[in-house]
Amino acid sequence: QTLRRANYSYWEADNAWKVVTYAVQQKPQAIETFSQPHYELMNEYRFDSTLTFANTLFYYTGEGSFDYDGDWIWYDNNATDWFQSYAGYDSTYGMSRFPSMVLRGFVGNKQWGWLPRVDINYGAGKLSVGGELRVHRSTHWGGIPFASEYPTAAFDPDFHFYEYNGVKDIFSLFAHAIHTPNDKLTLMGDLQLVSNRYGIENEKFLQNSFDQNYVFVNPKLGVNYNVDSQWNTYLSLAYTSREPRLKNLYAAEEAYYGAVPQFEQLNGGYNYSNPLVKPEHLFDIELGVGYQEPEARITANLFWMEFTDELVKSGQLDIFGQPITGNANRSRHIGLEVDGAARLNKEISVSGNLSLSRNRLVEHTVFVETSIAGNSIIVPLSLDGNSIAGFPDVLWNVRVTYNYRSITSSLIAKYVGSFYTDNFELGEHKNDEYTAINFEFLYSFPRVFNADIAFRAEVRNLLNKLYMMNGEGDAFVPAAERNYLFGITANF
């Protein structure tokens, strides 16, 4: 428990997680601050019983920084050459690495947009037509707020060792239709046209700049048939696409440590029309059946998701501790989902869900470094058939709720099966299965001054179980020990 509470920036342990062989304590200056106020204007106008117009205008701002340990920057990494020339540090500081320092990553965001929608009721169904417009601009820079030693030359405390502007524009149109020709049959159709534009501008020092646009058409069809008043069955088919994150195209925050734009290289430059990381595409088939009566319901859903170029985790983390992802040529997720609820008596009810799935790489090859006859070479390694990192094959949740007058209390059990933290299926890179139990309590007070007031309390990890919640490669995140949450809500 002492190790779990320690705030290490780096540590290693044996396979039994009992002996720490090397650990570096996080600096006390390593903190994170961020603020993001939201401004929204929403309205809905009903012309008559058949026509409704709704729209939302919004403006979000966000600004904050993350101070993190920079002691891992090594001098003999060629990627830091330009960092030395601009920051003024050289090999006189220990020959092998820079002085002890804290680095700061800053981000300032501005985003505005419009979300219009028109709903048309025509008797046998409903048609919704709408759109989305988002314009996002951001500023990113890195600084050095603290260092144990500074260059002998005058050092500018406002020096930025990376700086750039991010661009993100989203425009989409959609249509959603529900048609019910009779009491037993319901037909559903969705169609979305989306254009996402990402880019980086005004990069300081390295002058990398690009603009990438993605255009997708995402259709979905579904049919539901009511066998009788209790049983129904449904089938849905969907095709959808998703673009890579901007960080997949270029991790500009890590340029000082060797990150380069992930585009085809041409004569020392880059072909920005040919990114190395591709958008992922999914074809999804789902077949389900449901049963309901006044005191109980249950639904079972079979799914088959076939991915092309799925963005999967690599088992590595970036400098901010976020997962690094890349494309897998083909991958597949198939499984069964069951969801249900039942009222046992007037006071007690139970609900839960279960997911059994198989998540595998179908075609995926990576290139790894190996040594042959004393020479280091890069060779291809097939991961076909391996489990996809981060996907447990078994998940379930059960909630038992007790209601009596103004009191509601629930006991919740959650089970997460074991899963690998990278795609190589290494035994030491596997997160063990775990079960966590939480308790919730809600008391509703009598109305006061025309307000509904409620007191809420939660006990999370009720049994104080020690387990790893998730991980990336050899980096694991321990779950919090028993913790408590209290709050009061008031609705006027």
Side-chain angles (χ1 to χ4, degrees), residues 52-171:
T52 302
F53 173 71
N55 78 104
T56 298
L57 293 170
F58 64 87
Y59 178 68
Y60 303 155
T61 61
E63 184 173 295
S65 61
F66 175 43
D67 292 354
Y68 58 100
D69 197 333
D71 290 1
W72 44 266
I73 302 179
W74 291 85
Y75 175 78
D76 55 9
N77 186 331
N78 292 331
T80 60
D81 289 346
W82 70 272
F83 178 73
Q84 299 165 37
S85 63
Y86 283 104
Y89 287 107
D90 57 36
S91 60
T92 60
Y93 296 93
M95 294 302 294
S96 63
R97 62 189 300 170
F98 289 110
S100 176
M101 61 176 66
V102 171
L103 305 179
R104 172 169 295 170
F106 170 88
V107 60
N109 293 312
K110 293 182 180 180
Q111 180 179 192
W112 64 269
W114 179 40
L115 306 174
R117 189 186 79 250
V118 175
D119 296 329
I120 303 172
N121 290 290
Y122 59 91
K126 179 180 178 180
L127 173 65
S128 296
V129 179
E132 176 182 9
L133 172 65
R134 293 178 184 267
V135 178
H136 181 273
R137 298 293 182 269
S138 60
T139 299
H140 305 253
W141 56 255
I144 308 175
F146 167 81
S148 59
E149 295 180 79
Y150 291 95
T152 54
F155 180 77
D156 181 3
D158 295 325
F159 166 74
H160 294 168
F161 58 89
Y162 72 79
E163 184 174 332
Y164 68 92
N165 298 119
V167 174
K168 182 177 181 181
D169 295 331
I170 297 176
F171 175 75

Side-chain angles (χ1 to χ4, degrees), residues 293-305:
E293 58 181 46
E295 301 297 328
R297 63 168 180 82
I298 187 169
T299 301
N301 182 74
L302 289 169
F303 64 88
W304 186 300
M305 296 190 294

Side-chain angles (χ1 to χ4, degrees), residues 169-334:
D169 295 331
I170 297 176
F171 175 75
S172 73
L173 297 172
F174 74 88
H176 171 74
I178 295 288
H179 182 67
T180 308
N182 54 59
D183 293 340
K184 290 185 175 293
L185 185 64
T186 300
L187 305 175
M188 182 272 293
D190 280 345
L191 184 63
Q192 181 194 38
L193 171 65
V194 58
S195 171
N196 292 336
R197 170 178 171 257
Y198 289 165
I200 281 182
E201 298 175 346
N202 307 317
E203 187 191 24
K204 195 173 183 180
F205 305 129
L206 299 184
Q207 285 81 48
N208 289 308
S209 178
F210 64 86
D211 189 287
Q212 186 70 26
N213 190 49
Y214 298 92
V215 177
F216 303 122
V217 177
N218 299 321
K220 182 177 182 180
L221 296 173
V223 56
N224 178 83
Y225 182 74
N226 297 322
V227 180
D228 54 34
S229 61
Q230 294 178 313
W231 290 92
N232 74 292
T233 183
Y234 61 86
L235 171 69
S236 71
L237 306 173
Y239 182 85
T240 187
S241 302
R242 184 180 65 151
E243 72 283 352
R245 297 168 55 203
L246 180 59
K247 198 174 186 69
N248 293 131
L249 302 180
Y250 180 34
E253 297 91 343
E254 300 183 47
Y256 69 94
Y257 204 61
V260 296
Q262 295 301 294
F263 294 83
E264 178 188 15
Q265 294 192 25
L266 294 175
N267 301 322
Y270 299 97
N271 178 10
Y272 288 114
S273 64
N274 187 18
L276 301 181
V277 184
K278 304 176 180 64
E280 68 176 18
H281 306 281
L282 163 65
F283 179 62
D284 178 32
I285 302 176
E286 300 193 18
L287 174 65
V289 61
Y291 173 83
Q292 66 175 359
E293 58 181 46
E295 301 297 328
R297 63 168 180 82
I298 187 169
T299 301
N301 182 74
L302 289 169
F303 64 88
W304 186 300
M305 296 190 294
E306 199 75 19
F307 278 90
T308 303
D309 294 322
E310 181 179 5
L311 293 165
V312 298
K313 297 180 180 181
S314 66
Q316 297 175 310
L317 299 171
D318 63 19
I319 59 173
F320 299 114
Q322 298 299 311
I324 297 174
T325 59
N327 292 122
N329 287 346
R330 287 186 58 207
S331 55
R332 183 176 296 139
H333 303 256
I334 59 176

